Amino acid sequence: MAEEATVKEKKTKKGRVPMPEQDPKERARNFLEVPLGYSPEMAREEASRCLQCKNPGCVEGCPVGIDIPGFIRLIASGEFTASIRHVWKQNSLPAVCGRVCPQEIQCEGKCVLAKKGEPVAIGNLERFVADWERAHGSGALPPKASPTGKRVAVVGSGPAGLTVAGDLIQKGHEVTIFEAFHKPGGVLLYGIPEFRLPKEIVAQEVNFLERLGVRVQCNVVVGRTVSLDELFAEGYQAVFLGLGAGLPKFMNIPGENLVGILSANEYLTRANLMKAYLFPQVDTPIPRGKDVVVLGGGNVAMDAARTALRLGADRVRLVYRRSREEMPARAAEAHHAEEEGIEFFLLTNPVRYLGNEKGRLVGMECIRMELGEPDASGRRRPIPVKGSEFTLECDLCIVAVGTGANPLLTSSTPDLKVNKWGYIEADPCTGKTLKKGVWAGGDIVTGAATVILAMGAGRLAANSIHDYLMRGW
Amino acid sequence: MFKIVKREEMSQGTVILNEIEAPLIARKAKPGQFVILKANETGERIPLTMAYTDPERGVIAVIYQVVGKSTALFKTLQVGDGYQDVIGPLGKPTHIEKLGRVVCVGGGTGVAVLHPITRAMKEAGNHVIAIIGARTRDLLILEDFMRRASHELHVCTDDGSYGRKGFVTHALKDVLDRETINQVVAIGPVPMMKFVSQLTRQYGVPTLVSLNPIMVDGTGMCGGCRVTVGGETRFACVDGPEFDGHQVDFDELMLRLQAYCEEEKACFQEFCMMEESWHRK
């Protein structure tokens, strides 16, 4: 790695300013954030690498279209307050996006510097300026349009819902967010671990919206506590559904209900939302496996594996049925996981779980896979290799093989049309559903995707809702 | 905060009734549904099926047995105190219809959950026979409620200190031998529901049981509450909590309920010690 960096430095004038990180050995046993952030000097130096392109590719690559050269120029000149204000125009969650966006395939992937060397560290700079504002900013709020008297209900407080709420409150509408959990933040809170996205940041982003006037009502399960039609009857003129894709998928192989097998949703919710890693200082327990297997190859699998390590596992193995190339996790996440000591068992698939007489997991039988012809997803289909079965010992297994649509709300709202997988049908340009006055966006429409794509969908829906409130359906 | 407006101790202080202000939930809740309660910031989310609701006063009632740290913490809450979070109503309501002759069997605090179902079954025009049981007389709850909610009440205690000596299954067997029953509803400890279901299977009587496995969110998100019913995995929180007792794998459920027994024990002991030293001061 070091050699590679030197080569790149020679090619470009100046190399990218690396962001300091906690040492892998140390961080693998704590829940503190892995990257430590830029100092103002580092940020200004990195910002000065930006070529300020006339037709910037980075902006094209950003799902919410942030004026990236604009905010970077302001960092370079040391005008941090002006810079964050510039970001806020397009993105109300910069501290989150700077941390969890897949910049390498978005803005940074399109950076002209990437052609010859390293792209500008756009994510790191976005994160810096958001963190700087939180630590040193005046707390002054962006301007808000005069009240329209229109009321909007936002269901779900994940990235899509927060974006819709932030956009519409600034346009002068009354906004109430309904959250089923006892705390707002959605996947940012229950899904993404503390060491990738400190929960204090999520709380502060929500607090920012509350200061703008957004009402947040937790403990309301729309579809159970209130129905969609009751929201309209209560005087809401538009409803946005940002429900997420919260239904865990399992392998459906024998032994899956043994004690010691958890969905990644459950494991991460215990760790993140309930802070079970602090047990017994908090009351929610979490299984602390010594020998842990995580099934899956996405970001959630990496999060689960790295959490298991931090909870004291001696060994964490990630079992994925395809090869490294097909792994859906971000390269940076897979790299961080490996650095910390997670072992990858690629081209491997579990066949059945093995339990003891107490119904607890003691291992699993796996089979080797090889790659065949490409399947519907365009990736080469994994095929079991006959007779290659072997046993992995483990006392905890986290199933991170994806999530689906939770039918709780849609099944109780028959006039809301869903596709065959249960995702809500919505216009991709506006987020409009087939039910009048109802919009949807994020994972509940697209299936599990990224924070920024959900925010992009939220942005489109907010614009469409604003149009509707001012002009009609 | 969700304020406690009424609190009663039963069964020598081991079982507590709380009436809680929760108007949104009270308006919607139906028999068989549950809520999730969390006492404070560091608290655990605990699912409890509601004993009754009063939509006009905007209150719901839960009855719980003190079995661990979280319920011991709940017990410290007095009238005027509150739960930080109450979420619901969750789960599917009991399917109530006129079936003919129905037996409602309850054990322990399961009687609290059984009560609104018993009443609804009677109101739907069924002839309702209720059987409730406890280990001993002092642990029996809601006898008067159950008497009013049914046409005929049988009480059993394991030690014979009150009512008939023996298990609820003995009383149930007599009823099944005596007459044709169209439906049994059994709610109580897992072994009780298992044995009731085994018995009614021999008589071919459809049997509904209400399960309370470990869960976190209660909305279908975590899958911690999965149970095997008829060979298939179901989520008790959204597919249940009531299932066909003849199809439920009770042995698996009992093992899954033990998942955190070590942690629970340690946590409870520490809490009891803290409580004790607090009271000594």
Side-chain angles (χ1 to χ4, degrees):
Chain A
M1 282 305 291
E3 272 171 49
E4 213 178 277
T6 340
V7 175
K8 275 175 189 164
E9 257 167 53
K10 276 179 196 160
K11 280 183 187 167
T12 54
K13 274 187 186 167
K14 266 195 289 180
R16 183 177 187 159
V17 179
M19 185 173 276
E21 282 180 354
Q22 270 201 81
D23 177 74
K25 277 213 179 73
E26 199 173 305
R27 76 185 190 227
R29 300 292 169 187
N30 70 47
F31 276 87
L32 301 175
E33 205 177 357
V34 171
L36 300 170
Y38 278 156
S39 65
E41 295 72 33
M42 289 168 155
R44 291 185 68 170
E45 190 189 333
E46 179 60 25
S48 70
R49 291 179 63 230
C50 174
L51 300 179
Q52 296 290 319
C53 305
K54 283 250 161 56
N55 296 308
C58 53
V59 181
E60 267 172 53
C62 174
V64 297
I66 298 175
D67 174 15
I68 293 164
F71 92 81
I72 289 183
R73 189 180 60 240
L74 290 164
I75 292 178
S77 59
E79 296 166 81
F80 301 147
T81 302
S83 178
I84 186 67
R85 261 145 221 283
H86 207 66
V87 176
W88 276 344
K89 285 181 195 160
Q90 270 85 33
N91 183 350
S92 42
L93 305 171
V96 174
C97 291
R99 288 171 164 84
V100 304
C101 265
Q103 287 99 6
E104 66 279 6
I105 56 164
Q106 295 175 357
C107 53
E108 293 179 16
K110 296 271 177 80
C111 175
V112 69
L113 291 184
K115 285 177 189 155
K116 284 190 180 166
E118 287 177 305
V120 175
I122 301 167
N124 289 352
L125 289 171
E126 184 184 25
R127 173 193 154 138
F128 163 78
V129 78
D131 287 356
W132 190 88
E133 168 67 19
R134 282 189 300 118
H136 309 284
S138 66
L141 296 169
K144 213 168 118 175
S146 50
T148 61
K150 310 279 184 188
R151 295 175 68 200
V152 182
V154 172
V155 184
S157 62
L162 292 179
T163 302
V164 171
D167 281 11
L168 292 178
I169 198 86
Q170 292 188 55
K171 291 184 196 291
H173 308 298
E174 260 182 59
V175 182
T176 305
I177 296 178
F178 295 97
E179 166 58 44
F181 268 131
H182 55 272
K183 265 191 191 159
V187 74
L188 305 175
L189 195 68
Y190 76 74
I192 304 176
E194 179 77 18
F195 54 84
R196 277 219 292 139
L197 179 63
K199 298 310 145 211
E200 195 205 326
I201 289 174
V202 181
Q204 228 153 347
E205 301 279 22
V206 174
N207 179 257
F208 173 74
L209 295 181
E210 286 181 304
R211 284 170 50 223
L212 279 168
V214 174
R215 284 181 62 213
V216 180
Q217 274 205 38
C218 290
N219 298 324
V220 178
V221 186
V222 175
R224 289 270 200 241
T225 318
V226 286
S227 70
L228 269 190
D229 291 325
E230 281 166 334
L231 288 178
F232 286 111
E234 278 174 32
Y236 291 99
Q237 283 129 315
V239 179
F240 174 79
L241 305 176
L243 311 174
L247 194 77
K249 284 185 186 157
F250 285 92
M251 297 292 300
N252 295 315
I253 54 175
E256 199 140 42
N257 291 346
L258 289 165
V259 171
I261 302 167
L262 281 78
S263 73
N265 263 6
E266 178 178 1
Y267 187 66
L268 292 172
T269 301
R270 284 179 182 273
N272 303 331
L273 175 73
M274 305 311 293
K275 298 202 178 291
Y277 60 89
L278 300 173
F279 182 88
Q281 277 95 48
V282 303
D283 299 341
T284 305
I286 190 164
R288 290 175 181 254
K290 283 288 156 210
D291 207 340
V292 182
V293 168
V294 176
L295 304 178
N299 289 325
V300 174
M302 300 300 160
D303 285 346
R306 296 170 72 194
T307 298
L309 207 59
R310 283 156 174 80
L311 283 168
D314 293 332
R315 187 173 192 193
V316 181
R317 285 174 286 192
L318 192 128
V319 169
Y320 178 56
R321 64 193 179 129
R322 302 180 200 247
S323 73
R324 179 86 183 226
E325 238 168 83
E326 290 84 16
M327 235 185 209
R330 282 180 72 188
E333 297 305 326
H335 171 68
H336 273 148
E338 272 193 313
E339 255 187 355
E340 289 168 12
I342 312 283
E343 297 166 52
F344 288 1
F345 270 57
L346 303 170
L347 289 167
T348 306
N349 211 26
V351 183
R352 63 190 178 104
Y353 301 98
L354 309 169
N356 65 12
E357 70 291 347
K358 287 178 182 160
R360 291 187 179 248
L361 179 74
V362 294
M364 64 176 71
E365 193 179 296
C366 294
I367 190 162
R368 295 272 178 217
M369 310 291 275
E370 59 188 6
L371 294 177
E373 295 300 306
D375 64 10
S377 74
R379 297 178 298 180
R380 292 177 64 195
R381 186 194 304 274
I383 304 163
V385 179
K386 261 194 194 146
S388 68
E389 289 88 348
F390 66 103
T391 302
L392 279 183
E393 277 179 27
C394 60
D395 57 358
L396 179 63
C397 173
I398 315 298
V399 185
V401 295
T403 53
N406 189 327
L408 197 71
L409 174 64
T410 50
S411 65
S412 63
T413 317
D415 47 347
L416 205 60
K417 210 175 162 210
V418 296
N419 66 18
K420 64 175 171 177
W421 298 283
Y423 295 114
I424 297 175
E425 287 200 358
D427 183 324
C429 300
T430 60
K432 271 186 184 176
T433 68
L434 295 172
K435 186 173 164 70
K436 194 184 172 201
V438 180
W439 282 255
D443 286 2
I444 191 58
V445 172
T446 59
T450 60
V451 168
I452 190 73
L453 286 174
M455 290 179 60
R459 162 69 36 80
L460 294 174
N463 289 336
S464 171
I465 292 170
H466 178 66
D467 264 4
Y468 166 71
L469 293 174
M470 307 315 280
R471 290 188 203 93
W473 184 249
Chain B
M1 193 183 78
F2 296 78
K3 211 159 92 180
I4 296 172
V5 292
K6 185 177 168 190
R7 180 184 182 279
E8 262 177 41
E9 294 196 1
M10 309 173 193
S11 299
Q12 302 168 320
T14 59
V15 174
I16 313 289
L17 174 142
N18 278 168
E19 272 188 14
I20 305 161
E21 259 177 20
L24 287 180
I25 302 172
R27 199 176 63 180
K28 273 294 178 70
K30 293 201 174 73
Q33 288 189 299
F34 67 95
V35 288
I36 283 184
L37 304 112
K38 183 168 154 292
N40 57 24
E41 188 60 30
T42 54
E44 195 181 0
R45 292 167 66 99
I46 300 291
L48 287 174
T49 303
M50 288 170 274
Y52 58 89
T53 58
D54 187 340
E56 273 164 32
R57 287 167 54 227
V59 300
I60 61 165
V62 291
I63 294 177
Y64 58 86
Q65 188 178 6
V66 179
V67 290
K69 156 91 192 262
S70 291
T71 40
L73 179 66
F74 286 3
K75 191 187 170 183
T76 64
L77 300 174
Q78 303 298 322
V79 171
D81 297 342
Y83 290 87
Q84 191 176 59
D85 303 288
V86 180
I87 302 104
L90 301 168
K92 289 185 177 161
T94 312
H95 183 71
I96 305 280
E97 64 174 319
K98 187 171 174 188
L99 298 156
R101 300 181 77 82
V102 175
V103 183
C104 294
V105 188
T109 47
V111 176
V113 178
L114 186 68
H115 167 252
I117 298 168
T118 310
R119 200 170 68 180
M121 282 293 189
K122 187 178 173 187
E123 281 166 5
N126 294 293
H127 180 83
V128 180
I129 302 162
I131 302 171
I132 59 171
R135 239 176 31 242
T136 181
R137 177 174 195 160
D138 292 335
L139 298 179
L140 199 70
I141 61 166
L142 300 179
E143 186 190 348
D144 292 341
F145 277 80
M146 287 302 287
R147 195 176 302 282
R148 283 198 298 274
S150 61
H151 293 94
E152 186 182 329
L153 177 74
H154 302 262
V155 180
C156 316
T157 50
D158 298 2
D159 64 358
S161 54
Y162 185 61
R164 173 183 176 156
K165 183 177 179 349
F167 300 128
V168 288
T169 39
H170 299 147
L172 176 61
K173 187 170 186 308
D174 288 352
V175 173
L176 293 170
D177 284 335
R178 187 182 77 192
E179 57 184 294
T180 306
I181 295 297
N182 304 93
Q183 171 87 50
V184 168
V185 183
I187 304 177
V190 180
M192 182 209 96
M193 293 192 284
K194 176 183 169 180
F195 291 121
V196 166
S197 301
Q198 275 177 2
L199 179 67
T200 57
R201 186 183 290 120
Q202 296 163 20
Y203 290 81
V205 181
T207 300
L208 216 55
V209 294
S210 178
L211 309 182
N212 194 6
I214 292 170
M215 56 178 77
V216 183
D217 62 290
T219 61
M221 243 194 65
C222 80
C225 65
R226 53 197 197 277
V227 287
T228 301
V229 183
E232 274 180 41
T233 294
R234 310 290 298 275
F235 290 1
C237 67
V238 287
D239 301 324
E242 288 171 10
F243 293 102
D244 176 354
H246 297 161
Q247 303 285 326
V248 171
D249 184 340
F250 289 105
D251 296 333
E252 180 190 272
L253 176 61
M254 276 187 260
L255 292 170
R256 288 187 64 78
L257 283 167
Q258 296 300 309
Y260 297 99
C261 59
E262 293 297 318
E263 288 91 340
E264 281 163 6
K265 224 181 280 167
C267 200
F268 190 26
Q269 271 167 7
E270 196 185 293
F271 182 78
C272 294
M273 268 155 60
M274 265 172 52
E275 278 274 283
E276 212 172 287
S277 66
W278 174 255
H279 285 302
R280 260 191 239 126
K281 277 178 202 164

